[in-house]
Amino acid sequence: MIPGKYRSVSGRSANNVNCGLHLVIQTSSLPEKNKVEFKLNKETSSFPGRLLQHDLERNYSSRQGDHINLVSSSMPSFPILQRSSEEKILYSDRLTLERQKLTVCPIIDGEEHLRLLNFQHNFITRIQNISNLQRLIFLDLYDNQIEEISGLSTLRSLRVLLLGKNRIKKISNLENLKSLDVLDLHGNQITKIENVNHLCDLRVLNLARNFLSHVDNLNGLDSLTELNLRHNQITFVRDVDNLPCLQRLFLSFNNISSFESVSCLADSTSLSDITFDGNPIAQESWYKHTILQHMMQLRQLDMKRITEEERRMASVVAKKEEEKKRESHKQSLLKEKKRLTINNVARKWDLQQHRGSNIATNQDGKDSDSPSQDPCQIDASTISAFPEEAGSLDSGLTNSLQGLSVTDTHLVEVDGDTLSLYGSGALESLDRNWSVQTAGMVTTVSFTFIEFDEIVQVLPKLKIKFPNSLHLKFKETNLVMLQQFNALAQLRRIDQLTIDPQGNPVVNFTLWKYYVLFRLSHFSMQKINGTEVTPNDMIMAERLFGILAHVASSELPQYRLISILGDARKKQFRYLLDTKGKKPGIVNEENNDSKRLVGENTNRATLNYTTREFYNEKLEEIREKKKFCKMYIEDLVKEATEINMKNEALQKLWPQMFIELVRDAVIEIRNKNSYMKLCLQQITDQK
C-alpha cells in the first residue's frame, strides 16, 4: 500500500486536481488569428493513494472535464504547458495529464513547486523535460511506452516512482533517487534485479509481471517491507534473509518447485506474509507443513491467516520429518561406510591377486634366469574403485564421514534373507552366536573377494549355522577349475548357484554348468546363474561326465576308496541309528537331508576336492612321517648290525668258552665235600 503520508495527497488530488486547464496550441509561424482553442472532455482519476497489492489494479474517481491550452514552442516536437495564475494558486503542487494521448513529456514552465505529477495512460516513450521539477515527490508514468529509465537524476526529493506497464528492460539510472520510498516497475520486461542496492529508504518494490528467473542482489534495501514478485519465471530466491524489515513477500505464479530453492526465507525473522500459490511447490502434499515448519513467524500464507491448529500440526509433522531425516542420514552414513569398506576390501583383493601373479612370474623368471620383479609393486590401474557406486554427497554427510574409519578389511551384512560376506576376515563371523531367528531367515549366502579354498574350510560351519541356506553366490572368489565344485557336495542342500564371471575364470569353460549338475545331482538343483535347470540338462550332464566318474572310481585303490567314502559310511550308520525305532510315516527334513547325502552316488563321491592349504598340510605331514620312518629304520638297521656283529663274535669265542666252562665244572666237582660246603656257604650268604 502507498505510505500513509501520501494518502492525504491522494485525497486532495481526487477532489481538486480535475480542474479546467486552459492549454493553447500555437505555432510560431502562424498569426494570432490562426490560434486554435478547443476543449477536451476527459475522464481523469485520482492515482497516488492506490494499493500496490495487485499488479494492474487502478481505481478512478471524481471525474470532471478539463479545459486545456497547449502552446507549441519553436521546437515542434515538445508542446509547452501553461496554466493560468488562478490555477497555479489553486493547484500549485499537483498536475494531472492523464489520458491526453501524449507521445512526449511537454515542457512545464513556471511549475517548480510541483510535488505531484501524473502522466498515466499516454504514449510517452521517454522521460524528459521534468528535470526542473526538483521538488517533485510523486511521479506516475503508468501505462506508457517507456523503454529506459532516464531523466530523473535531478529529482532528488522523489519518493514515489510509478513506472508500471511500460517497456523497460533494465533497472538503471536511479543513483540519485536515494530518498525513494515506493518503486513500481510491474508489467515491464526486466530480467534481472540490479542497481537498487543504494535505495536504503525504499519500502515498497513491485516487480510483478516481468521476466525474472531468480531473485538476488537485494543487499542494501534495509527499509524494504513489501516485495511483489508475482507472475515471473522465478525458480530460486536468494538474499531475502538479508532484508531486516521485509514483512510481505509475494511470489505467486512462478516456477518454484522445492523449498530448498527458497530456503533462505527460513532465516528471515521479519517476514509475516508470504504467497506461493500458482507455483509447483504449492501442489505438493507437504507444502503447507514444510513452510510453517521452517517459518514459524508467519501470520499469513497465500493471503490466508494461519491458525494455531495449523501451527500445531506443522510442529508434529516437523518432528516426524526430523526423525525421518535423522534415520535417512544414518542410513546414508551406513551406506557410505559400506561402500568405503567394500572399496578397501577390493583394493586388498587386487593387491593379493597382483602379488600372486608377480610371485608366479618371478618363479618363472628364476627358472629362465630372467631378472625378478618386486612382488609388492602394484599397477594403479588394477585397483578397483567402484566408480559406479561413488556419488556426490551433501556437505553435512561429507563432514560426518570425515571421521569414518576406512581401514576395515572385511564386511558382514544381513539384508533380509541374504548374508553377504566381503573379504576373508568375514568368514570369522560364522563363529558368532547368531540368533535362531536371524539364522533361520538366511536363505542366500554371498561370498565376494574371498578365496574359494578359504570358503571350503568353513562350509561345515555354514551348514550348521544357517541350515536354511539354499542359494550360494560367488563373486571374485578365484574359482578356476571344475574340481573345486566337488567341495560343495558336503553342504546340506543347494537349490540355486550363482557364479559371477568377475573373478571366476571357471565360467569360461563351456561345460561347467553340466559338471555342476552332474557332481551335485543329489541336490536336484533348480537354477544355475538364474537359468532354470531342465531334465534335458540333467541327462546331458550324466552323458558327459558319468563315464569319467566310473573310470575314476574303478581306478582308485581299495584303501583310497574306503578313505574317501569313510564319511559317507559314518553318516549312513548315524542315520540308521537315528531312525531306528521311529514310526515309518514320521521323517523330518534333517532325515531327508541325510538320505540325500547317503544317496550320493559312489562314483560321484570319488570326485572330491582338496584345497591347496590342506594339500600342503598333508605334504608336510607326509614329510614328517617319512623323516620319522627313515630315522626309525636307521635305528633298527644299526641295532641289527650290532646284534649281528655280537653274534659273529660269539660264534668265534664260543668253542673256547665251552671248553673253559666244562673244565671249570669238572674241577669244582672233583672234591665233592668241598663243593657242597662251598654251595651251602653261598646259600647262607645270600640269605
Coordinates of all heavy atoms in Angstrom, one line a residue, residues 416-452:
G416 N 17.7 -58.7 4.8 CA 16.6 -59.6 4.5 C 17.0 -61.0 4.7 O 17.4 -61.5 5.7
D417 N 16.9 -61.8 3.6 CA 17.2 -63.2 3.7 C 18.6 -63.5 3.1 O 18.9 -64.6 2.8 CB 16.2 -64.0 2.9 CG 16.1 -63.6 1.4 OD1 16.8 -62.6 1.0 OD2 15.4 -64.4 0.6
T418 N 19.4 -62.4 2.9 CA 20.7 -62.6 2.3 C 21.8 -62.2 3.2 O 21.8 -61.2 3.8 CB 20.8 -61.7 1.0 OG1 19.8 -62.0 0.1 CG2 22.2 -61.9 0.3
L419 N 22.8 -63.1 3.4 CA 24.0 -62.9 4.2 C 25.1 -62.6 3.2 O 25.5 -63.5 2.4 CB 24.3 -64.1 5.0 CG 25.7 -64.1 5.8 CD1 25.7 -63.0 6.8 CD2 26.0 -65.4 6.4
S420 N 25.7 -61.4 3.2 CA 26.8 -61.1 2.3 C 28.1 -61.0 3.1 O 28.2 -60.3 4.1 CB 26.5 -59.7 1.7 OG 25.3 -59.8 0.9
L421 N 29.1 -61.6 2.6 CA 30.4 -61.7 3.2 C 31.4 -61.1 2.2 O 31.6 -61.6 1.1 CB 30.8 -63.1 3.6 CG 29.8 -63.9 4.5 CD1 30.3 -65.3 4.6 CD2 29.7 -63.2 5.8
Y422 N 32.2 -60.0 2.6 CA 33.2 -59.4 1.8 C 34.5 -59.5 2.5 O 34.7 -59.1 3.7 CB 32.9 -57.9 1.6 CG 31.6 -57.6 0.9 CD1 30.4 -57.5 1.6 CD2 31.5 -57.5 -0.5 CE1 29.2 -57.3 0.9 CE2 30.4 -57.2 -1.2 CZ 29.2 -57.1 -0.4 OH 28.0 -56.8 -1.1
G423 N 35.5 -60.1 1.9 CA 36.8 -60.3 2.5 C 37.0 -61.5 3.3 O 36.0 -62.0 3.9
S424 N 38.2 -62.1 3.4 CA 38.4 -63.3 4.1 C 38.1 -63.2 5.6 O 37.7 -64.2 6.2 CB 39.8 -63.8 3.8 OG 40.7 -62.9 4.3
G425 N 38.3 -62.0 6.1 CA 38.0 -61.8 7.5 C 36.6 -62.0 7.9 O 36.2 -62.3 9.0
A426 N 35.7 -61.9 6.9 CA 34.2 -62.0 7.2 C 33.9 -63.4 7.5 O 32.8 -63.7 8.1 CB 33.4 -61.5 6.0
L427 N 34.7 -64.4 7.1 CA 34.4 -65.8 7.4 C 34.4 -66.1 8.9 O 33.8 -67.1 9.3 CB 35.4 -66.7 6.7 CG 35.4 -66.6 5.1 CD1 36.5 -67.5 4.6 CD2 34.1 -67.0 4.6
E428 N 35.1 -65.3 9.6 CA 35.1 -65.5 11.1 C 33.8 -65.2 11.7 O 33.5 -65.7 12.8 CB 36.2 -64.6 11.7 CG 37.6 -64.8 11.2 CD 38.6 -63.8 11.8 OE1 38.2 -63.0 12.6 OE2 39.8 -63.9 11.5
S429 N 32.9 -64.5 11.0 CA 31.6 -64.2 11.5 C 30.7 -65.5 11.7 O 29.8 -65.5 12.4 CB 30.8 -63.2 10.6 OG 30.6 -63.8 9.4
L430 N 31.1 -66.5 11.0 CA 30.4 -67.8 11.1 C 30.5 -68.4 12.5 O 29.8 -69.3 12.9 CB 30.8 -68.8 10.0 CG 30.5 -68.3 8.6 CD1 31.0 -69.4 7.6 CD2 29.0 -68.1 8.4
D431 N 31.5 -67.9 13.3 CA 31.7 -68.4 14.6 C 30.9 -67.7 15.6 O 30.9 -68.0 16.8 CB 33.2 -68.3 15.0 CG 34.0 -69.3 14.2 OD1 33.6 -70.4 13.8 OD2 35.2 -68.9 13.9
R432 N 30.2 -66.6 15.2 CA 29.3 -65.9 16.1 C 28.2 -66.7 16.7 O 27.8 -67.7 16.1 CB 28.8 -64.6 15.4 CG 29.8 -63.6 15.0 CD 29.1 -62.4 14.3 NE 30.0 -61.5 13.8 CZ 29.6 -60.4 13.0 NH1 28.3 -60.3 12.8 NH2 30.5 -59.6 12.5
N433 N 27.6 -66.2 17.7 CA 26.4 -66.8 18.2 C 25.2 -66.1 17.6 O 24.5 -65.2 18.1 CB 26.3 -66.6 19.8 CG 27.4 -67.4 20.5 OD1 27.7 -68.5 20.1 ND2 27.9 -66.9 21.6
W434 N 24.8 -66.6 16.4 CA 23.7 -66.0 15.6 C 22.4 -66.4 16.3 O 22.2 -67.5 16.7 CB 23.7 -66.5 14.2 CG 24.9 -66.0 13.4 CD1 26.1 -66.6 13.3 CD2 25.0 -64.8 12.6 NE1 27.0 -65.9 12.5 CE2 26.3 -64.8 12.0 CE3 24.1 -63.8 12.2 CZ2 26.7 -63.8 11.2 CZ3 24.5 -62.8 11.4 CH2 25.7 -62.8 10.9
S435 N 21.5 -65.4 16.3 CA 20.2 -65.7 16.9 C 19.4 -66.7 16.0 O 19.7 -66.8 14.8 CB 19.3 -64.5 17.0 OG 19.0 -63.9 15.8
V436 N 18.6 -67.5 16.6 CA 17.9 -68.5 15.8 C 17.0 -67.9 14.7 O 16.9 -68.4 13.6 CB 17.0 -69.4 16.8 CG1 16.2 -70.4 16.0 CG2 17.8 -70.1 17.8
Q437 N 16.4 -66.7 15.1 CA 15.5 -66.1 14.1 C 16.3 -65.6 12.9 O 15.9 -65.8 11.7 CB 14.8 -64.9 14.8 CG 13.8 -64.2 13.8 CD 13.1 -63.0 14.5 OE1 13.4 -62.7 15.7 NE2 12.3 -62.3 13.9
T438 N 17.5 -64.9 13.2 CA 18.3 -64.4 12.1 C 18.8 -65.5 11.2 O 18.8 -65.5 10.0 CB 19.4 -63.5 12.6 OG1 18.9 -62.5 13.4 CG2 20.3 -62.9 11.5
A439 N 19.4 -66.5 11.9 CA 20.0 -67.6 11.1 C 18.9 -68.4 10.3 O 19.2 -68.8 9.2 CB 20.6 -68.6 12.1
G440 N 17.7 -68.5 10.8 CA 16.7 -69.2 10.1 C 16.1 -68.4 8.9 O 15.6 -69.0 8.0
M441 N 16.3 -67.0 9.0 CA 15.8 -66.2 7.8 C 16.7 -66.3 6.6 O 16.3 -66.1 5.5 CB 15.7 -64.8 8.3 CG 14.5 -64.5 9.2 SD 14.5 -62.8 9.8 CE 14.5 -61.9 8.3
V442 N 18.0 -66.6 6.9 CA 19.0 -66.5 5.8 C 18.8 -67.7 4.9 O 18.9 -68.9 5.3 CB 20.4 -66.5 6.4 CG1 21.5 -66.6 5.2 CG2 20.7 -65.2 7.2
T443 N 18.5 -67.4 3.6 CA 18.4 -68.5 2.6 C 19.5 -68.3 1.5 O 19.7 -69.2 0.7 CB 17.0 -68.4 2.0 OG1 16.8 -67.2 1.4 CG2 16.0 -68.7 3.0
T444 N 20.1 -67.1 1.4 CA 21.1 -66.8 0.4 C 22.4 -66.4 1.1 O 22.3 -65.5 1.9 CB 20.6 -65.7 -0.6 OG1 19.4 -66.1 -1.2 CG2 21.6 -65.4 -1.7
V445 N 23.5 -66.9 0.7 CA 24.8 -66.6 1.2 C 25.7 -66.1 0.0 O 25.8 -66.9 -1.0 CB 25.5 -67.7 2.0 CG1 26.8 -67.3 2.5 CG2 24.6 -68.2 3.1
S446 N 26.2 -64.9 0.1 CA 27.0 -64.3 -1.0 C 28.5 -64.2 -0.5 O 28.7 -63.6 0.6 CB 26.4 -63.0 -1.4 OG 27.3 -62.4 -2.4
F447 N 29.4 -64.7 -1.3 CA 30.8 -64.5 -1.0 C 31.5 -63.6 -2.0 O 31.3 -63.9 -3.2 CB 31.5 -65.9 -1.0 CG 31.0 -66.9 0.0 CD1 30.0 -67.8 -0.4 CD2 31.4 -66.9 1.3 CE1 29.5 -68.7 0.5 CE2 30.9 -67.9 2.2 CZ 29.9 -68.7 1.8
T448 N 32.2 -62.6 -1.6 CA 32.9 -61.7 -2.5 C 34.2 -61.4 -2.0 O 34.4 -61.1 -0.8 CB 32.0 -60.4 -2.6 OG1 30.7 -60.7 -2.9 CG2 32.6 -59.5 -3.7
F449 N 35.2 -61.4 -2.9 CA 36.6 -61.1 -2.5 C 37.2 -62.1 -1.5 O 37.9 -61.7 -0.6 CB 36.8 -59.6 -2.1 CG 36.3 -58.6 -3.0 CD1 35.3 -57.7 -2.7 CD2 36.9 -58.5 -4.3 CE1 34.9 -56.8 -3.6 CE2 36.5 -57.6 -5.2 CZ 35.5 -56.7 -4.9
I450 N 36.8 -63.3 -1.6 CA 37.3 -64.4 -0.7 C 37.8 -65.5 -1.6 O 37.1 -66.0 -2.5 CB 36.2 -64.8 0.2 CG1 35.5 -63.6 1.0 CG2 36.8 -65.8 1.2 CD1 34.4 -64.0 1.8
E451 N 39.0 -66.1 -1.2 CA 39.5 -67.2 -1.9 C 38.6 -68.4 -1.7 O 38.1 -68.7 -0.6 CB 40.9 -67.6 -1.4 CG 42.0 -66.6 -1.9 CD 42.4 -66.9 -3.4 OE1 41.9 -67.9 -3.9 OE2 43.1 -66.1 -3.9
F452 N 38.3 -69.2 -2.8 CA 37.4 -70.3 -2.7 C 37.9 -71.3 -1.7 O 37.1 -72.0 -1.0 CB 37.1 -70.9 -4.1 CG 36.1 -72.0 -4.0 CD1 34.7 -71.7 -4.0 CD2 36.5 -73.3 -4.0 CE1 33.8 -72.8 -4.0 CE2 35.6 -74.4 -4.0 CZ 34.2 -74.1 -4.0

